[in-house]
Amino acid sequence: MAKAENKTKATSVSPESFVDTVEHDVRRADAKVLLDLFADVTQLVPRMWGPSIIGYGRYHYKYESGREGEFMMTGFSPRKANQVIYIMPGYTDHSAILDRIGKYKIGKSCLYINKLADIDLDVLRELIIAGFEDMKSRYPDWKPE
């Protein structure tokens, strides 16, 4: 039986062009801030992953099941309901930072924020740095593209 391919892959769409198409004014303005913040923290050029995720860096993973693929190291997505911040591989070691960030909801590797005005951007920067550094230590063969 063939292995299922990952649905979310890097594309050639410009992240800046994608952000310009975000309909919600606050979400679009916040996404422009996040483009700068993530670029500053990672020192990487963003890439689109699938139709709506802006990612930085790339790593190869392989599960015990044999499934493998590539995904971004960190990133975000300006969704209709909120901004989604992807802190990979999750928040197990970041609770002290999250305690100081402000208003948010959380998923396994996702931080959901209504608007950047609800959080402390300096603390978000700390969280992005912590997650990115964690990923670099877990995946030393990661790529900056």
Side-chain angles (χ1 to χ4, degrees):
M1 181 162 79
K3 292 182 186 175
E5 286 199 28
N6 293 336
K7 293 179 184 177
T8 306
K9 295 180 179 180
T11 72
S12 61
V13 174
S14 158
E16 295 81 5
S17 296
F18 166 70
V19 167
D20 287 340
T21 69
V22 173
E23 290 182 25
H24 191 283
D25 292 341
V26 172
R27 214 82 64 236
R28 183 174 55 254
D30 284 355
K32 289 179 180 184
V33 170
L34 290 173
L35 276 171
D36 291 340
L37 177 62
F38 274 87
D40 185 52
V41 167
T42 65
Q43 296 294 297
L44 299 175
V45 175
R47 277 192 86 169
M48 291 300 299
W49 286 79
S52 64
I53 299 173
I54 299 167
Y56 296 79
R58 172 193 303 251
Y59 72 100
H60 183 85
Y61 63 85
K62 185 171 183 177
Y63 297 139
E64 288 182 22
S65 66
R67 181 181 173 100
E68 60 184 289
E70 291 193 332
F71 201 53
M72 65 182 180
M73 299 277 284
T74 190
F76 70 96
S77 180
R79 304 278 169 96
K80 285 185 181 181
N82 45 41
Q83 291 284 357
V84 181
I85 311 292
Y86 296 94
I87 304 298
M88 312 300 279
Y91 297 103
T92 53
D93 300 306
H94 307 305
S95 60
I97 298 172
L98 288 169
D99 289 345
R100 299 180 289 116
I101 202 164
K103 185 178 175 184
Y104 69 91
K105 292 182 181 175
I106 197 166
K108 185 174 182 181
S109 294
C110 302
L111 183 73
Y112 300 97
I113 301 168
N114 287 330
K115 56 189 177 294
L116 292 182
D118 290 341
I119 63 165
D120 184 322
L121 285 179
D122 290 333
V123 177
L124 177 60
R125 174 184 292 275
E126 280 182 57
L127 183 62
I128 296 166
I129 290 168
F132 190 55
E133 292 300 319
D134 187 22
M135 287 298 291
K136 289 193 291 187
S137 69
R138 289 174 188 248
Y139 298 95
D141 294 334
W142 72 279
K143 295 177 177 52
E145 52 189 280

